[in-house]
């Protein structure tokens, strides 16, 4: 998460759509990409949870949720005109669904080297864009590079995201034309 979150309730004060487990339960299998997508779709339909997210006109807000199988999950509010910038989720798989409003995702249909580079020139034909209206979502694999935007001028968007394993890092990029530049690498301490 790149912007500071507003004063929001902690996940402990907001009902989680996932079931709870006790510490004496057997180990839970890692969730599949399909299970993450099912979770974010189901959670996006939880009207009480979506309504519990405080919305800020200036910056994104978020609440951490309990995702399936030890995944990391977030409920995120997007004021009009905000976005993430280009980034990836390192070795995590993930999924997200728009719960309210609409989001636009720009992504790259190419797998980037994970380490050892600072600047890459992208080839023609790697850009993808999709509109995700309320109820629409998508899943993605490791090292998926994208940016997510609320392009509305006057309507907040809300979305649900889940990642497994929990995000070990996020790489942030800048882009000028066909040139993608690695700007920084964030660790969980930077956004939690």
């Amino acid at each position: 998460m790149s912007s500071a979150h507003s004063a929001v309730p902690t996940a402990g004060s907001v009902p989680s759509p996932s079931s709870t487990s006790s510490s004496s339960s057997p180990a839970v299998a890692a969730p599949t990409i399909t299970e993450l997508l099912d979770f974010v779709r189901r959670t996006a339909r939880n009207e009480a949870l979506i309504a519990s997210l405080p919305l800020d006109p200036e910056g994104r807000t978020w609440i951490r949720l309990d995702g399936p199988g030890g995944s990391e999950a977030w409920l995120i509010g997007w004021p009009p005109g905000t976005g993430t910038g280009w980034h990836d989720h390192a070795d995590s798989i993930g999924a997200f669904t728009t719960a309210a409003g609409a989001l636009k995702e720009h992504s790259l249909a190419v797998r980037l080297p994970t380490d050892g580079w600072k600047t890459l020139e992208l080839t023609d034909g790697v850009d993808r864009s999709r509109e995700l209206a309320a109820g629409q979502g998508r899943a993605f694999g490791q090292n998926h590079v994208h940016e997510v935007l609320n392009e509305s001028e006057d309507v907040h968007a809300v979305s649900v995201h889940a990642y497994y394993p929990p995000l070990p890092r996020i790489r942030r990029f800048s882009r000028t034309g066909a040139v993608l530049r690695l700007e920084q690498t964030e660790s969980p301490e930077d956004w939690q």
Side-chain angles (χ1 to χ4, degrees):
M1 307 286 135
S2 64
S3 60
H5 70 288
S6 300
V8 296
T10 63
S13 64
V14 177
S16 173
S18 65
S19 61
T20 59
S21 61
S22 69
S23 58
S24 61
S25 297
V28 178
T32 66
I33 202 164
T34 301
E35 290 168 333
L36 291 178
L37 186 57
D38 289 345
F39 169 81
V40 297
R41 285 178 172 160
R42 185 174 61 254
T43 303
R45 292 190 302 267
N46 183 331
E47 293 177 16
L49 180 64
I50 303 310
S52 75
L53 179 67
L55 300 176
D56 181 328
E58 302 298 320
R60 292 187 300 150
T61 53
W62 52 84
I63 298 172
R64 177 114 186 225
L65 305 173
D66 295 324
S71 64
E72 179 174 336
W74 298 89
L75 177 63
I76 302 175
W78 306 76
T82 59
T84 60
W86 287 95
H87 67 283
D88 74 4
H89 303 282
D91 296 327
S92 297
I93 59 171
F96 71 99
T97 293
T98 304
L103 294 172
K104 182 163 213 173
E105 180 196 38
H106 299 289
S107 62
L108 300 178
V110 63
R111 189 162 185 138
L112 300 180
T114 56
D115 292 304
W117 65 278
K118 194 76 168 147
T119 303
L120 289 176
E121 186 167 348
L122 301 169
T123 59
D124 289 338
V126 298
D127 289 294
R128 303 289 184 266
S129 290
R130 67 180 76 204
E131 291 277 339
L132 298 164
Q136 295 180 319
R138 68 152 312 172
F140 52 86
Q142 297 174 325
N143 302 302
H144 174 71
V145 177
H146 68 165
E147 69 174 343
V148 180
L149 310 160
N150 178 1
E151 294 184 325
S152 173
E153 294 180 10
D154 56 2
V155 177
H156 262 79
V158 176
S159 57
V160 181
H161 302 246
Y163 311 98
Y164 190 86
L167 297 172
R169 64 183 174 153
I170 292 178
R171 295 185 301 176
R172 298 224 175 255
F173 308 97
S174 63
R175 181 163 180 197
T176 306
V179 177
L180 188 71
R181 175 181 298 280
L182 176 63
E183 296 293 343
Q184 74 182 70
T185 301
E186 299 174 0
S187 62
E189 300 80 41
D190 297 320
W191 65 80
Q192 292 184 10

